[in-house]
Amino acid sequence: MNVRKLLARLNPSIARFEVHHGGQSELTPQDIAGALGMIEDRLAREVLCTVWWPDGAQLQRAELDRIVREAQLREWMRLRRELEAAKLALHVAEDDIDGTHGTRNAQRAALQRATETLDEVKARQWPAVGPIYRAVRNAVLTELATPQLCTHCEGRGEVFAQDRLVACPHCAGHGRTPVSDRKRAAMIERDEAGYRRVWRPVYEWTLALCAGAETRGARALEHALAPA
């Protein structure tokens, strides 16, 4: 059973839990809630609830947004540090062109590599922090909460191949089918061209962060519910 679906039993609309199958005791809402409480990874627990039990996650939505926002900021700062390091490397390569260190050809090759590296690092930079980042966070959680599970792995992100558990080749281990750039652009109120040029790296990084957290949360829940 996909343990994610067990969270639906925590919704008030579910009227009966006492039905048993095959002589095995049925998990109660108390069992499931207790297992959720055992998940120590806060991001994993809150993303899992937001996706599969939104009524239970609403009280923590502000906290979840703060955690994801801080993760985005750390990545933004990492990219900025990478940019400064690339700039410094280029300055060093430019200084070495005077012939003091190494051969002229080696110096020119080093300068070319430093220039190319700087261009690549610049292309990976994220925009200045602003309100669109909040829109990205909200859109990512909405996308994850929308039923679009990979039919091959049923949302697990993993399949058995030759008796080994491997990442699902149909969804690259994400457990979900991809959403178009056009739809994602609309969700953050950007045009598709602008999304692809500026915001796609931010969106895809945030999606990977939250999707990974959701997967960890599901595994932790399954472990917590496993018979002793």
Side-chain angles (χ1 to χ4, degrees):
M1 176 183 293
N2 186 343
V3 294
R4 297 167 172 90
K5 297 179 181 180
L6 293 176
L7 295 182
R9 300 186 184 184
L10 300 176
N11 292 322
S13 59
I14 300 299
R16 298 181 60 191
F17 302 98
E18 71 277 9
V19 177
H20 300 272
H21 302 279
Q24 298 179 350
S25 60
E26 188 81 1
L27 288 169
T28 68
Q30 291 75 19
D31 294 330
I32 300 167
L36 275 175
M38 296 173 63
I39 301 177
E40 297 180 356
D41 186 330
R42 296 173 66 193
L43 178 60
R45 183 182 66 246
E46 293 308 319
V47 172
L48 181 68
C49 287
T50 296
V51 173
W52 294 96
W53 183 35
D55 289 343
Q58 286 176 353
L59 296 178
Q60 302 295 330
R61 186 59 180 263
E63 179 69 6
L64 172 58
D65 185 72
R66 182 189 66 78
I67 295 172
V68 179
R69 182 183 70 235
E70 290 179 353
Q72 285 179 326
L73 182 58
R74 287 193 297 270
E75 179 64 8
W76 186 92
M77 294 175 67
R78 186 193 69 78
L79 290 171
R80 283 298 187 272
R81 289 193 296 270
E82 189 179 47
L83 177 62
E84 292 306 314
K87 288 180 179 179
L88 179 59
L90 178 61
H91 292 326
V92 171
E94 289 172 339
D95 288 341
D96 285 345
I97 282 295
D98 61 8
T100 303
H101 304 287
T103 65
R104 177 73 62 165
N105 286 340
Q107 292 165 354
R108 288 176 176 171
L111 179 60
Q112 180 64 26
R113 288 195 301 271
T115 301
E116 292 173 353
T117 297
L118 179 58
D119 290 340
E120 293 171 359
V121 171
K122 283 181 177 179
R124 290 198 296 268
Q125 294 302 299
W126 288 4
V129 176
I132 302 300
Y133 281 85
R134 177 185 291 274
V136 168
R137 296 193 296 272
N138 290 335
V140 161
L141 292 174
T142 298
E143 178 175 331
L144 287 175
T146 302
Q148 50 197 9
L149 297 181
C150 173
T151 56
H152 189 73
C153 66
E154 297 183 344
R156 289 181 177 273
E158 296 175 325
V159 294
F160 278 101
Q162 299 180 348
D163 298 326
R164 292 189 303 112
L165 198 61
V166 299
C168 175
H170 293 260
C171 64
H174 296 297
R176 296 174 179 274
T177 55
V179 175
S180 69
D181 286 349
R182 179 185 56 78
K183 185 173 181 179
R184 287 174 176 173
M187 287 193 294
I188 64 172
E189 298 184 345
R190 302 286 99 178
D191 62 85
E192 186 174 351
Y195 168 82
R196 289 180 175 177
R197 184 179 65 256
V198 178
W199 291 103
R200 181 158 60 181
V202 179
Y203 194 105
E204 291 182 346
W205 184 93
T206 307
L207 179 63
L209 173 75
C210 293
E214 190 271 346
T215 299
R216 294 197 309 274
R219 289 174 179 169
L221 180 62
E222 185 173 21
H223 177 76
L225 289 171

